């Protein structure tokens, strides 16, 4: 099955997690990461890319009821297709960092009120200078979901296809990240520097 945009989404996740770790003073290789949504393409690919980059890695599908393993995670990537919240305040470690690429979000709307100690970030967004999508995406100007940004990159390169089904290797993720840099596409994630 072809998953258009998968590589840019994973590249953005990896880049953003690295930036988040620098921002919080965390060494990624000493962090425990959890990927919620391991049954989906983005979750599986993220797990493959994070192996060896973090101290320990926990993965679970959005259908798993026992979420106790997430309580150990410093970094939690939420990448599911669920229709509602998949994590709840009691599922999370104190001061955990949540990076949600799910659309719509799979976190409870009141999570930041219930758990003000958490850092909650909407991820998988890319700034695409000079390309505005109008009001249709519900995002700031010149901002796209990473999957759409990959399609735009391929069009800018004159390619009708990326020639791959899903993700074959880290090389494919790195290749799309390099293309993104060439066109000035960068993460749209905003970190509070205060």
């Amino acid at each position: 099955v072809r998953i258009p945009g998968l590589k840019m989404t994973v590249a953005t996740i990896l880049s953003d997690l690295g930036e988040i770790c620098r921002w919080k003073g965390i060494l990624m290789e000493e962090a425990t990461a959890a990927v919620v949504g391991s049954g989906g393409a983005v979750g599986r690919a993220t797990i493959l890319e994070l192996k060896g980059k973090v101290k320990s890695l926990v993965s679970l599908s959005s259908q798993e009821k026992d979420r106790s393993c997430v309580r150990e995670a410093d970094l939690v990537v939420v990448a599911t297709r669920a229709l509602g919240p998949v994590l709840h305040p009691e599922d999370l470690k104190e001061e955990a960092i949540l990076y949600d690429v799910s659309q719509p979000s799979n976190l409870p709307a009141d999570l930041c009120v219930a758990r003000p100690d958490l850092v909650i970030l909407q991820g998988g967004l890319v700034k695409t200078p000079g390309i505005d999508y109008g009001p249709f995406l519900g995002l700031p100007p010149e901002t796209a979901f990473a999957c759409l940004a990959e399609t735009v990159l391929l069009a800018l390169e004159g390619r009708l296809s990326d020639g791959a089904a899903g993700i074959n290797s880290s090389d494919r993720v790195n290749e799309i990240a390099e293309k993104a840099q060439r066109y000035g596409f960068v993460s749209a994630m905003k970190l509070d520097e205060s």
Side-chain angles (χ1 to χ4, degrees):
V1 175
R2 281 190 36 65
I3 312 289
L6 179 61
K7 290 171 286 307
M8 185 68 183
T9 301
V10 174
T12 302
I13 291 169
L14 295 175
S15 172
D16 284 356
L17 289 180
E19 187 61 31
I20 291 164
C21 286
R22 282 188 290 283
W23 173 63
K24 293 297 283 181
I26 299 169
L27 294 175
M28 187 180 274
E29 59 272 12
E30 293 180 8
T32 296
V35 177
V36 181
S38 62
V42 172
R44 280 193 312 271
T46 301
I47 291 164
L48 291 173
E49 293 296 319
L50 281 176
K51 281 186 181 173
K53 292 181 173 90
V54 293
K55 181 175 79 175
S56 63
L57 184 59
V58 174
S59 66
L60 63 154
S61 76
S62 60
Q63 287 82 33
E64 287 182 54
K65 300 295 182 216
D66 181 7
R67 305 213 181 278
S68 58
C69 59
V70 177
R71 283 190 206 109
E72 303 303 315
D74 306 297
L75 304 168
V76 180
V77 176
V78 183
T80 73
R81 296 176 302 222
L83 297 177
V86 296
L87 292 174
H88 302 284
E90 64 275 9
D91 296 330
L92 302 160
K93 178 180 181 175
E94 210 170 295
E95 297 185 356
I97 299 166
L98 283 80
Y99 182 88
D100 187 11
V101 295
S102 303
Q103 291 298 325
S105 175
N106 285 153
L107 298 174
D110 63 347
L111 185 58
C112 60
V113 173
R115 292 286 306 275
D117 61 300
L118 302 173
V119 174
I120 303 169
L121 300 161
Q122 181 183 13
L125 300 177
V126 175
K127 295 293 283 174
T128 55
I131 304 170
D132 194 2
Y133 308 91
F136 307 108
L137 299 179
L139 297 172
E142 299 184 351
T143 302
F145 299 106
C147 54
L148 175 57
E150 181 176 329
T151 302
V152 171
L153 279 174
L154 293 173
L156 290 170
E157 292 277 305
R159 292 173 59 183
L160 298 177
S161 167
D162 69 351
I167 284 189
N168 297 336
S169 69
S170 293
D171 293 341
R172 310 260 328 148
V173 172
N174 293 335
E175 177 188 349
I176 204 72
E178 288 168 11
K179 287 182 191 325
Q181 275 188 324
R182 192 164 51 240
Y183 289 97
F185 287 20
V186 296
S187 171
M189 180 180 66
K190 292 183 180 8
L191 297 173
D192 181 6
E193 299 297 333
S194 58

